[in-house]
Amino acid sequence: MLNTNDILETIKMIREENLDIRTVTMGISLFDCISDDPARLEEKIYDKVTRSAKNLVSVCEELERTYGIPIVNKRISVTPLSYIGAGLSPDGFVRLAKVLERAALELGVNFIGGYSAHVQKGEIKGARSLIESIPEALAETTRICSSINVATTKAGINMDAVGEMGEIIKKTAYLTREQDSIGCAKLVVFANIPEDNPFMAGAVHGFGEPDTVINVGVSGPGVVAAAIKEAGKCDFSALADTVKKIAFKITRVGQLIAAEAAARLGTPYGIVDLSLAPTPAAGDSVAEILENMGLERCGTHGTTAALALLNDAVKKGGVMASSHVGGLSGAFIPVSEDRGMIDAAKCGTLTLDKLEAMTAVCSVGLDMIAIPGDTEASTISGIIADEISIGVINNKTTAVRVIPVYGKGVGEEVEFGGLLGYAPIMPVKRESCFDFISRGGRIPAPIHSLKN
């Protein structure tokens, strides 16, 4: 039975604490679109995507009106295109990106993810061509997102791919230099990529998924921050319980929307991703949550411990609320998308090294970090290698989304706009790691990966 207090509390979360459904993402399999004829392949992909998701936006808008819960983004993820277009040239993949862009515009979705390849042990021809095409594809589209999985705990790290992605990120930054290198904001490098992630830029439709599926990402940093502030000076056990209880309520909202959207679209319901995804708006910050726990500024000593408590409590509360939890599920720390993180980075308390330490206990990795445009490609590859190693050794998902902003240096800021926010240019180490990266080959899988 519905409880009046619960209803009023949810209304307060929406109106005053920025509770929203961050994304409803429809996953679409493209395996039945494969064709030896590139023109036929493009036609079949466009038809499949537009047919499958034709009602996605309208259904989400109906749910917003019915329940009064904002649904910020309506998105699509597709099967990694490196498999679907395995025989294509780089130019052929750019054409596919434009086909998906046209579909996104027709449907009214803000992003399509799946311009992707999995290369943790090596590259098939399609992966090779797709990776080469990324800078041009992201420069010539606005709604296509790309992700490359370069490592898994089982396979180890493909350092050839890590080295290559440093070059690809640099080229993407250059080709989108007139827009402050924004193409790099749509490109992420993964270890242990999840195949049911609704969040961009890393959303893909995995191999074990149904033909179509609905995955939902919830978000409520402001709700959690307010609950911790209200809890006052309690001990850590009580603090964790506070987070668990509020995460349970947030997740129930997400499950309601996921189930309703799936039913109205005639599509299976996949997962709810519990991730606390911040925005640049006031009161919608993961950094603020950590500061409400007692830190003077996010990034100071104690930050990693506070984030570990938050991430664990969010997961524990969320899994009690939904039988189907997936994606990334935890706390995001994207610098440009979190006002508290931005302020901490601007004053120097939050550094790249501290962010790397924090990623050992949170959901993703080094995310939406602006760095000097003259950063060497090998240095970017070194940043990727360090972060990906954390994921491989700890058997968790980690990722890197860095933006070398062409023409800008430390002390300057860059404005991306919308949910992507703004960020200070953060310093990187100037000493070279070129000789290390250029060794190539694979870093072997850790011994604890041998579990069979």
Side-chain angles (χ1 to χ4, degrees):
M1 181 178 293
L2 291 175
N3 181 290
T4 302
N5 289 333
D6 288 342
I7 294 171
L8 292 174
E9 183 180 32
T10 302
I11 292 171
K12 180 174 181 287
M13 290 178 185
I14 294 167
R15 289 182 176 176
E16 300 178 19
E17 297 165 0
N18 297 308
L19 175 64
D20 59 50
I21 301 298
R22 188 52 47 86
T23 180
V24 173
T25 301
M26 174 178 279
I28 302 173
S29 172
L30 300 182
F31 279 115
D32 56 350
C33 299
I34 293 173
S35 173
D36 291 333
D37 179 353
R40 180 64 178 145
L41 173 64
E42 294 172 14
E43 180 184 357
K44 291 176 74 173
I45 287 176
Y46 180 82
D47 289 345
K48 177 73 180 284
V49 170
T50 53
R51 182 177 68 253
S52 299
K54 66 180 180 179
N55 295 322
L56 176 62
V57 171
S58 62
V59 163
C60 288
E61 290 171 347
E62 287 173 9
L63 292 173
E64 287 182 291
R65 290 192 295 269
T66 300
Y67 294 103
I69 300 170
I71 300 174
V72 180
N73 298 300
K74 297 85 177 174
R75 296 168 170 170
I76 293 169
S77 63
V78 297
T79 311
L81 283 181
S82 61
Y83 297 102
I84 305 305
L88 294 177
S89 66
D91 287 343
F93 275 107
V94 173
R95 287 195 296 272
L96 273 192
K98 292 178 179 178
V99 167
L100 287 172
E101 176 91 347
R102 185 159 53 92
L105 291 168
E106 160 120 4
L107 294 166
V109 298
N110 69 319
F111 284 124
I112 293 184
Y115 200 80
S116 307
H118 295 177
V119 296
Q120 55 266 23
K121 292 183 78 173
E123 297 177 355
I124 63 171
K125 180 183 176 183
R128 168 103 299 284
S129 294
L130 182 139
I131 290 172
E132 287 182 18
S133 76
I134 287 173
E136 184 179 353
L138 296 184
E140 296 191 12
T141 61
T142 60
R143 305 192 185 201
I144 304 305
C145 289
S146 179
S147 56
I148 306 297
N149 194 72
V150 298
T152 66
T153 298
K154 283 284 189 183
I157 305 172
N158 182 347
M159 289 300 293
D160 291 323
V162 170
E164 185 177 18
M165 289 311 299
E167 298 283 355
I168 293 296
I169 289 169
K170 284 283 288 185
K171 290 177 183 176
T172 304
Y174 178 76
L175 289 183
T176 57
R177 62 193 181 279
E178 299 299 329
Q179 297 83 41
D180 285 327
S181 301
I182 197 169
C184 297
K186 301 181 290 176
L187 172 58
V188 58
V189 182
F190 269 100
N192 296 317
I193 189 170
E195 298 191 1
D196 55 5
N197 170 23
F199 286 103
M200 300 296 173
V204 296
H205 188 67
F207 301 124
E209 299 288 314
D211 192 53
T212 60
V213 69
I214 289 294
N215 297 318
V216 165
V218 297
S219 185
V223 177
V224 177
I228 290 174
K229 188 173 184 179
E230 187 176 337
K233 192 171 177 58
C234 58
D235 67 18
F236 286 113
S237 295
L239 191 64
D241 284 342
T242 297
V243 175
K244 284 192 293 185
K245 289 173 183 176
I246 206 70
F248 178 91
K249 293 174 181 178
I250 293 169
T251 305
R252 293 297 280 183
V253 172
Q255 180 172 270
L256 168 67
I257 295 299
E260 281 289 309
R264 296 187 188 199
L265 289 164
T267 297
Y269 153 43
I271 57 92
V272 175
D273 186 314
L274 313 176
S275 300
L276 296 177
T279 72
D284 201 25
S285 163
V286 170
E288 184 180 337
I289 297 174
L290 305 180
E291 290 166 2
N292 283 357
M293 290 183 184
L295 302 173
E296 183 176 350
R297 177 77 74 179
C298 177
T300 193
H301 305 295
T303 298
T304 305
L307 184 60
L309 182 153
L310 173 66
N311 210 53
D312 181 65
V314 166
K315 290 176 188 287
K316 286 175 177 174
V319 296
M320 287 295 292
S322 176
S323 298
H324 301 292
V325 171
L328 297 160
S329 289
F332 285 179
I333 51 172
V335 174
S336 79
E337 299 175 11
D338 185 309
R339 180 172 291 191
M341 298 279 176
I342 294 165
D343 292 342
K346 286 171 70 174
C347 74
T349 307
L350 187 64
T351 64
L352 199 57
D353 289 342
K354 185 60 177 179
L355 281 163
E356 184 180 301
M358 292 164 67
T359 64
V361 300
C362 76
S363 290
V364 197
L366 299 173
D367 196 21
M368 288 302 293
I369 296 171
I371 60 175
D374 63 357
T375 303
E376 295 289 335
S378 60
T379 298
I380 296 172
S381 295
I383 293 169
I384 294 170
D386 284 344
E387 184 59 35
I388 293 309
S389 297
I390 291 174
V392 168
I393 295 299
N394 291 292
N395 196 25
K396 68 187 290 293
T397 297
T398 53
V400 175
R401 186 165 47 150
V402 294
I403 304 159
V405 184
Y406 190 84
K408 292 197 174 183
V410 175
E412 297 183 85
E413 290 187 10
V414 59
E415 177 74 48
F416 298 118
L419 289 177
L420 296 178
Y422 64 100
I425 307 296
M426 299 182 71
V428 301
K429 302 285 192 296
R430 306 312 293 187
E431 293 79 8
S432 175
C433 62
F434 176 82
D435 288 346
F436 174 73
I437 296 298
S438 63
R439 286 177 179 271
R442 283 164 51 206
I443 293 179
I447 187 65
H448 59 257
S449 69
L450 300 175
K451 292 184 177 178
N452 287 339

